[in-house]
Amino acid sequence: MQATATVLVYSDNAGTREQVRLAAGRRPAPDVPVVEFVECATLPAVLKELERGGIDVCVLDGESSPVGGMGVCRQIKDEIFQCPPVLLLIGRPQDAWLATWSRAEAAVTLPVEPVEFASALASLLRRKHALSV
């Protein structure tokens, strides 16, 4: 297994980005790599990082403004070749259907609940690793 995994975190809110980092910790589960974060506050920054490559999982804030994470997810799924899996942060459990529309692989509600978030992130990292073997 690779030594580290790179997780892109998109939110216009620095507090939300911090919640994600704290919930994941250095390693969201014992059987996944140590996580390094790339933080983005704007859509152009997200696109630049994805074009650069090396991103294992994207965490997108569905409540970001002016461009929400659901729209960003749908766009990158259409535009980025071999787009990394996406974990979407949603405002309400009822928004899960929108996460499906956006083609996110997983969704958790805000505020970030550490155990739920770490479990969802670890699952996506495992899936990414299984596909790359």
Side-chain angles (χ1 to χ4, degrees), residues 58-62 69-70 73 86-90 98-99 102 104 106-108:
C58 295
V59 177
L60 307 177
D61 180 1
M70 291 182 208
C73 182
V86 173
L87 173 54
L88 195 59
L89 305 176
I90 57 177
L98 287 168
S102 73
V108 297

Side-chain angles (χ1 to χ4, degrees), residues 1-5 7 24-36 56-57 117-130:
M1 182 175 286
Q2 65 193 42
T4 61
V7 176
R26 288 186 34 80
R27 177 177 275 166
D31 63 330
V32 299
V34 171
V35 174
E36 293 179 356
D56 294 296
V57 173
F117 179 82
S119 175
L121 180 59
S123 176
L124 293 180
L125 289 169
R126 286 183 203 105
R127 184 183 316 174
K128 173 78 173 178
H129 175 70

Side-chain angles (χ1 to χ4, degrees), residues 38-55:
V38 173
E39 294 186 35
C40 299
T42 65
L43 176 57
V46 170
L47 297 175
K48 179 180 174 184
E49 290 296 334
L50 288 172
E51 288 295 331
R52 182 179 302 169
I55 302 295

Side-chain angles (χ1 to χ4, degrees), residues 8-11 42-44 46-47 50 57-64 66-90 95-108 124 127:
L8 181 146
V9 182
Y10 165 68
S11 178
T42 65
L43 176 57
V46 170
L47 297 175
L50 288 172
V57 173
C58 295
V59 177
L60 307 177
D61 180 1
E63 303 299 308
S64 281
V67 183
M70 291 182 208
V72 172
C73 182
R74 186 128 176 131
Q75 179 176 347
I76 65 176
K77 292 294 183 177
D78 286 339
E79 296 178 2
I80 303 297
F81 179 67
Q82 295 182 336
C83 183
V86 173
L87 173 54
L88 195 59
L89 305 176
I90 57 177
D95 293 336
W97 74 272
L98 287 168
T100 302
W101 167 85
S102 73
R103 294 188 272 176
E105 283 78 6
V108 297
L124 293 180
R127 184 183 316 174

